[in-house]
Amino acid sequence: MKALFEGIIPSVNYHLWEPCNMRCKFCFAPFYDAKKLLPKGHLPKEKSLELIQRIADFGFQKITFAGGEPTLCPWISELIAFAKEKGLTTMLVTNGTRLTEEFLNSNKNHLDWIILSIDSADDETNINSGRAVTGKTPVSLQSYKIFIDAIKKHRYRLKINTVVHRLNYKELLLELINYAQPERWKVFQVLPIKGENDLHITDFIINDFEFNHFISNHRQLKEEGILISEDNSEMKNSYVMIDPAGRFYTNKKGMQEYSSPILETGIKAAYDQMEYSFMNFKKRGGLYAWKKAI
Ligand code: SF4
């Protein structure tokens, strides 16, 4: 695998499309801008494959497929397999609802990590935040455990992502996390992004004190190095993200700003337009042993 230019963040999140079966009211990934650019709001399969080729050629080491809900994309497995073939460590962020036995079985040789998004074990909280199928049907605690069992049965590495907001910052998720035993539990302070999640965000914003309340309620996991917390300032400009239209984007000013399309401009020139911070990436613990143990 090619070495990256010095100071370039080695992992990339590819938000390949916007469609999702959940309706989280704080979601910062509706990608309105991509819809203005492309009729379907996302690249077709062939262009996504070309993009992954560029990502690998550039020297990125890890790709995280995200959305929307990436398992809704009919060609997601082809993208994962192609990325793996190109030598990348592969990850998938999912709300879990479409992790069928068939999906888990057919991707297990190409997909290294599954990142399960779980904010709450309480049905009412999940319905009120929109983290529920069509905004109405939440995933029960029992169903989350079934997802986790299935992920482990197929020997994927497991990470859990949790967004902390006004409705769940007092909640204790210890039972679920202890059951799941993820290698990493990423805990994010809900992030307002202008133009993306303005409509409901004031109902969800929490201050640093409230965010730290959640963290200190789970401090043992923090001390063990399982819980990795990210407040709003740590999240800004420390993620290399690609939108469904194939452009890098950054949220450093609290809104999405986009590069030129990577397939037109070239990946280095597009990356340089973003001024991502490698230092912030390192500071938030972005470098860790993500390669699958053989
Ligand atoms: S599951 Fe993820 S992509 Fe879907 S609405 Fe919720 S935050 Fe957005």
Side-chain angles (χ1 to χ4, degrees):
M1 181 173 284
K2 199 178 150 192
L4 267 181
F5 296 94
E6 205 185 325
I8 289 192
I9 295 172
S11 68
V12 58
N13 288 3
Y14 177 26
H15 293 260
L16 59 107
W17 80 356
E18 167 277 333
C20 184
N21 55 352
M22 291 197 167
R23 302 287 181 269
C24 306
K25 293 175 184 164
F26 49 80
C27 179
F28 62 77
F31 295 114
Y32 300 121
D33 203 72
K35 287 177 205 148
K36 286 186 215 151
L37 211 70
L38 298 173
K40 293 201 164 158
H42 56 82
L43 294 175
K45 179 175 84 177
E46 290 68 27
K47 293 281 177 199
S48 282
L49 289 166
E50 202 181 322
L51 185 67
I52 293 166
Q53 178 74 62
R54 303 267 187 116
I55 286 168
D57 289 347
F58 189 54
F60 284 114
Q61 295 161 15
K62 170 164 76 74
I63 185 167
T64 300
F65 293 99
E69 174 52 46
T71 58
L72 286 167
C73 176
W75 52 88
I76 182 63
S77 296
E78 285 176 69
L79 302 185
I80 294 168
F82 187 68
K84 190 77 216 159
E85 184 193 313
K86 297 293 152 195
L88 293 154
T89 294
T90 50
M91 296 186 156
L92 177 90
V93 182
T94 176
N95 60 38
T97 52
R98 292 180 46 94
L99 290 180
T100 58
E101 183 68 19
E102 190 199 341
F103 181 91
L104 291 169
N105 203 31
S106 60
N107 287 284
K108 67 182 173 198
N109 293 327
H110 308 127
L111 180 60
D112 299 310
W113 290 74
I114 290 182
I115 306 172
L116 200 51
S117 301
I118 305 177
D119 298 343
S120 171
D122 180 71
D123 288 353
E124 205 181 321
T125 300
N126 283 325
I127 291 174
N128 290 336
S129 70
R131 182 158 304 276
V133 176
T134 67
K136 293 184 183 133
T137 311
V139 178
S140 67
L141 175 60
Q142 190 51 32
S143 297
Y144 276 131
K145 288 183 174 175
I146 291 170
F147 298 165
I148 289 160
D149 290 345
I151 291 167
K152 297 230 157 161
K153 184 180 114 188
H154 290 283
R155 303 176 68 81
Y156 289 97
R157 296 179 77 174
L158 175 66
K159 182 168 157 184
I160 291 177
N161 279 357
T162 297
V163 177
V164 183
H165 49 70
R166 177 138 304 280
L167 308 186
N168 68 350
Y169 78 93
K170 292 182 183 161
E171 187 172 340
L172 266 184
L173 279 178
L174 278 176
E175 186 206 327
L176 184 57
I177 300 300
N178 284 335
Y179 181 86
Q181 300 273 310
E183 288 185 57
R184 286 167 76 78
W185 179 28
K186 284 291 278 286
V187 178
F188 304 98
Q189 182 179 8
V190 69
L191 184 66
I193 297 287
K194 231 171 159 201
E196 307 292 327
N197 59 9
D198 316 66
L199 195 57
H200 300 287
I201 199 67
T202 45
D203 299 335
F204 291 92
I205 287 174
I206 49 171
N207 59 34
D208 291 350
F209 180 79
E210 289 161 332
F211 182 59
N212 287 329
H213 176 83
F214 183 93
I215 303 302
S216 78
N217 274 346
H218 301 87
R219 62 183 158 276
Q220 198 189 326
L221 290 161
K222 177 117 180 150
E223 281 158 21
E224 289 167 9
I226 307 284
L227 188 163
I228 295 106
S229 60
E230 282 181 30
D231 63 21
N232 285 174
S233 64
E234 286 163 320
M235 284 161 75
K236 285 187 183 158
N237 212 26
S238 65
Y239 283 86
V240 176
M241 300 177 287
I242 297 178
D243 85 329
R247 301 169 296 176
F248 287 116
Y249 71 97
T250 175
N251 55 18
K252 70 178 166 205
K253 293 184 191 152
M255 56 195 267
Q256 318 288 48
E257 294 174 273
Y258 301 91
S259 74
S260 309
I262 293 167
L263 295 179
E264 289 169 24
T265 311
I267 195 159
K268 172 83 168 74
Y271 183 95
D272 287 345
Q273 289 170 2
M274 293 289 92
E275 299 175 348
Y276 292 121
S277 168
F278 183 78
M279 192 127 71
N280 289 0
F281 165 77
K282 245 178 102 174
K283 246 179 22 206
R284 71 161 169 82
L287 278 177
Y288 60 95
W290 57 60
K291 257 189 133 36
K292 196 164 194 163
I294 301 169

